[in-house]
Amino acid sequence: MSDSTFQKLEQSYPNRIQNHALFNDAWYLFVNDYPPTHCLLDFKELPSTRVALHAGDLGFALLWIVQSVLIRCIIYNINQLQPWDIQLHTTTIGAMAHTEPDTNRMIAQYSDSNTLVISGKKNYISGGSDADILLLTARRPGEDKFTKMMYIPVKSLPENALQDINLSILPTIRHSSLTLTDFACNASQCCPVKDKELRKILKKWSLIERSLIGEAYIAFLCYLAKNIPLPDQDQTLNEAEELLSLQKNFSREQLENAFSDKYVDTLGDVARVLNITQKIANYCMENTNSLTQPIQLRINDLNLFNKIRL
């Protein structure tokens, strides 16, 4: 079952990045075999790592991590403190609307006891253009740190509130910005956990997200090392696989800490990851014309490393 799924995702990769209408079928195929979940410790190898390692799809890896960590783990953690009834199905795609510009940051204030009015901008939402729901952070007027989080069905947003953005990486999923002006939502959509406690939860799971993206990225390096005829291919692949094993152990330790409410960090062997990244990137730049089309379509994702830095 799983090997067939990854084989199909690998083979469909070129068509999917040229025709996003194929996204839903591919995503449903993936999550029907590997439903996003907060029970991440149940996996011997995370589906996000496997789809990067066997299908070379770093976009789907990142989207699965978002669904499991930034959506389901956060909602699970909140419900441990106070009930917040959000119904999620296996195929429901959520996105975290948190990253903001320095100006026009998201403000939420009550117009009456039942209505929150929200204005401001989020400048990067991973998977936002494919999402069914958003978890949107905001703050009270005059405050610097965010104090609230709302559950927003994407269908309820004004037309053109979400705008596609092109990152030139992760082409199998779509990213967006969000701009709202006096958008009204029901106060019942507001997370019951607020202020410092909410910030603590989001920080913890954001660090876990970065650790798991780092793991998926190293798995992606393994995929490239297996499929590109590097001069020292065996050595590079062995080094990447060793690094992946170390990052898996590290990520699991951090997950155990997160569920035990212990200290979490995202330290990884940045120097070794950078070395393998540069080795593969340099070879690709010098031998572009000899690369197969499927590899050419994937190599821009090497730039993800500069964004995560583990």
Side-chain angles (χ1 to χ4, degrees):
M1 176 183 69
S2 59
D3 288 345
S4 172
T5 295
F6 295 129
Q7 185 179 37
K8 289 176 182 177
L9 292 175
E10 181 184 32
Q11 292 172 347
S12 68
Y13 186 98
N15 290 333
R16 286 188 285 121
I17 68 172
Q18 294 167 12
N19 181 7
H20 198 74
L22 301 174
F23 167 83
N24 282 343
D25 286 346
W27 181 250
Y28 295 165
L29 173 71
F30 182 33
V31 299
N32 281 334
D33 278 1
Y34 300 100
T37 175
H38 72 274
C39 300
L40 296 172
L41 291 172
D42 291 348
F43 293 101
K44 183 176 180 181
E45 183 173 61
L46 290 169
S48 47
T49 301
R50 299 193 70 190
V51 75
L53 181 64
H54 300 296
D57 193 335
L58 200 51
F60 267 31
L62 185 144
L63 189 59
W64 193 92
I65 292 167
V66 169
Q67 302 318 299
S68 295
V69 177
L70 293 189
I71 305 301
R72 286 158 178 83
C73 282
I74 285 176
I75 292 173
Y76 171 78
N77 206 163
I78 287 167
N79 274 281
Q80 288 179 307
L81 301 176
Q82 294 189 51
W84 195 28
D85 185 24
I86 298 178
Q87 300 299 317
L88 298 176
H89 304 290
T90 297
T91 56
T92 300
I93 297 178
M96 176 61 70
H98 183 56
T99 305
E100 295 178 329
D102 292 333
T103 58
N104 196 24
R105 296 189 296 175
M106 204 65 74
I107 301 294
Q109 53 188 323
Y110 286 95
S111 61
D112 57 53
S113 60
N114 295 315
T115 307
L116 270 171
V117 178
I118 309 169
S119 297
K121 182 169 183 176
K122 300 292 184 179
N123 56 359
Y124 170 65
I125 305 172
S126 181
S129 295
D130 295 312
D132 302 302
I133 66 159
L134 300 180
L135 295 184
L136 172 71
T137 57
R139 61 191 48 72
R140 303 180 188 95
E143 295 189 338
D144 182 49
K145 296 179 179 180
F146 72 88
T147 55
K148 303 177 185 297
M149 184 167 69
M150 285 69 66
Y151 158 79
I152 309 289
V154 168
K155 288 183 179 179
S156 71
L157 292 172
E159 186 178 1
N160 299 321
L162 283 171
Q163 293 288 319
D164 285 354
I165 55 176
N166 182 11
L167 298 180
S168 75
I169 61 172
L170 308 174
T172 55
I173 62 175
R174 296 186 300 166
H175 317 279
S176 67
S177 62
L178 172 69
T179 303
L180 296 175
T181 303
D182 296 333
F183 173 73
C185 75
N186 194 288
S188 65
Q189 295 171 234
C190 189
C191 174
V193 177
K194 298 178 174 64
D195 301 304
K196 185 177 180 180
E197 193 64 40
L198 176 63
R199 291 193 293 271
K200 179 182 176 183
I201 291 172
L202 264 63
K203 180 179 180 180
K204 174 174 68 175
W205 293 110
S206 294
L207 290 172
I208 292 296
E209 180 208 24
R210 288 169 65 86
S211 182
L212 299 191
I213 291 174
E215 180 179 321
Y217 179 80
I218 298 169
F220 176 68
L221 291 180
C222 292
Y223 176 87
L224 293 181
K226 283 188 290 186
N227 289 280
I228 295 174
L230 300 166
D232 52 354
Q233 185 176 25
D234 289 344
Q235 178 184 339
T236 302
L237 180 57
N238 288 340
E239 185 178 356
E241 289 176 340
E242 178 186 351
L243 196 55
L244 177 58
S245 179
L246 292 172
Q247 186 68 22
K248 282 182 182 178
N249 291 337
F250 177 80
S251 294
R252 186 167 189 87
E253 179 184 349
Q254 297 313 301
L255 279 170
E256 290 171 350
N257 287 345
F259 283 111
S260 302
D261 207 24
K262 297 178 182 177
Y263 176 75
V264 172
D265 64 36
T266 59
L267 292 176
D269 196 335
V270 174
R272 291 179 67 190
V273 176
L274 180 59
N275 179 61
I276 298 173
T277 297
Q278 289 182 329
K279 185 183 295 185
I280 295 174
N282 290 341
Y283 178 87
C284 291
M285 285 189 291
E286 294 168 3
N287 300 275
T288 302
N289 294 334
S290 66
L291 298 176
T292 64
Q293 186 206 26
I295 293 299
Q296 289 182 10
L297 294 173
R298 287 171 166 88
I299 56 176
N300 274 355
D301 282 358
L302 290 170
N303 292 318
L304 181 67
F305 180 75
N306 293 323
K307 297 181 180 295
I308 59 171
R309 288 287 176 171
L310 298 189

